[in-house]
Amino acid sequence: MNKVASLSTVIKTEFLKLRKCKVLWCMPLCAFLPDLLIFSMFALNKKFPTVIWETYFTDAIMMINMLMAIGLFSLLAGFIFSREYQENTINSMFTYPIGRMQFFISKLIVILILISITIMASFILLVLLGLTIKHEPLTLNILLYYTKAYIFMIIMHSALIPLIAFLGIYNKSIIPPIILAVCAITLNLIVMNTPFNTVFPWSIPTILSPHQNGRTYTNYTLGIIVLCSTFIVGTVLSIKSIKKDVH
């Protein structure tokens, strides 16, 4: 019970530290910008007189996965995990009853919550915007299908976080995660239609989510294995870096 209480306390502390962070203003950008762009396309373009939900949702999902989510979540993870080093509070933190595993897990949970809020807020807004213009019937089956797709997106993007966290911890800076995000977005566009799309971790959320013009090369099993491996390797490297760097 003490461990659970201690972990919850650390998580609350992390959220308190984030209250005034300007980086959180990027979350609405990621959540709402793709929705507004897709909505505008259907609302203003005569080529789309009616909202076809499959196209509507799929276009938004692709934009989030290929561009917005990679940049935002890398920025968030890099900031949250590196700030203790940049502010020189990492050593003093462990003078309190906070274990290194709790330090890592609490930050990971905070980022998971932020990812969940961002992606689900985007989904809810997308639905509401679509209902304001001419649309085909939104059936329960369609709604459930894309709800599951967005939840799966949360899981996939969360699996990438530990590796980004490792870069922030190891380099004690937010810069490497940002560089990784830029490189990942660029490579994502390059490998999307190649056999490497389920080998490159940052392409997998797009490939395994609903997307337009089904890809020629899609190995779902390999994609899941790569994501799980990325999560495990990133977690191990992050924990080792925390133990090594804290004196």
Side-chain angles (χ1 to χ4, degrees):
M1 294 298 293
N2 290 334
K3 289 184 178 180
V4 174
S6 181
L7 180 60
S8 65
T9 300
V10 178
I11 292 172
K12 290 178 182 177
T13 303
E14 288 296 328
F15 276 113
L16 288 173
K17 289 191 291 185
L18 287 172
R19 282 188 306 175
K20 297 181 180 180
C21 292
K22 294 181 180 179
V23 71
L24 292 184
W25 287 104
C26 295
M27 289 177 58
L29 179 66
C30 180
F32 303 146
L33 182 58
D35 296 352
L36 294 174
L37 291 175
I38 299 302
F39 170 75
S40 299
M41 182 177 72
F42 278 84
L44 304 176
N45 194 332
K46 294 182 180 180
K47 292 182 179 180
F48 303 98
T50 302
V51 169
I52 306 300
W53 291 111
E54 181 181 356
T55 304
Y56 183 74
F57 282 122
T58 301
D59 286 350
I61 287 172
M62 290 184 65
M63 187 177 296
I64 292 170
N65 283 333
M66 293 183 68
L67 300 173
M68 304 300 294
I70 296 175
L72 172 65
F73 300 150
S74 296
L75 178 64
L76 279 175
F79 174 77
I80 289 173
F81 276 97
S82 67
R83 66 178 302 181
E84 310 298 346
Y85 295 93
Q86 293 180 316
E87 297 173 2
N88 295 317
T89 59
I90 185 68
N91 286 305
S92 61
M93 280 189 65
F94 296 113
T95 60
Y96 299 93
I98 300 174
R100 286 158 177 74
M101 282 295 294
Q102 288 175 320
F103 169 81
F104 176 76
I105 293 173
S106 64
K107 289 181 179 292
L108 199 61
I109 291 174
V110 167
I111 296 173
L112 173 59
I113 292 172
L114 294 177
I115 290 175
S116 301
I117 292 172
T118 302
I119 291 180
M120 293 314 297
S122 179
F123 175 63
I124 293 169
L125 178 64
L126 191 66
V127 173
L128 295 176
L129 288 174
L131 292 173
T132 64
I133 55 180
K134 187 177 180 181
H135 59 275
E136 66 177 5
L138 179 59
T139 65
L140 181 60
N141 286 338
I142 293 174
L143 197 58
L144 288 176
Y145 176 78
Y146 285 101
T147 299
K148 292 177 183 178
Y150 272 75
I151 292 173
F152 190 39
M153 284 165 57
I154 292 171
I155 295 171
M156 289 189 288
H157 284 290
S158 297
L160 301 171
I161 296 302
L163 194 57
I164 301 168
F166 163 68
L167 290 177
I169 295 168
Y170 184 80
N171 294 281
K172 304 179 181 64
S173 171
I174 193 176
I175 302 301
I178 293 175
I179 294 174
L180 172 65
V182 174
C183 294
I185 291 172
T186 304
L187 287 174
N188 201 5
L189 298 173
I190 294 172
V191 306
M192 190 56 62
N193 286 307
T194 73
F196 299 102
N197 59 14
T198 45
V199 176
F200 183 59
W202 282 267
S203 294
I204 295 173
T206 301
I207 293 299
L208 300 191
S209 296
H211 54 272
Q212 297 285 8
N213 304 320
R215 307 298 169 186
T216 304
Y217 308 100
T218 303
N219 188 330
Y220 288 91
T221 303
L222 179 60
I224 296 297
I225 292 172
V226 170
L227 274 182
C228 291
S229 300
T230 302
F231 179 82
I232 293 170
V233 170
T235 299
V236 171
L237 290 175
S238 296
I239 293 172
K240 284 188 174 181
S241 294
I242 293 171
K243 291 181 178 180
K244 179 180 178 181
D245 291 338
V246 178
H247 304 289

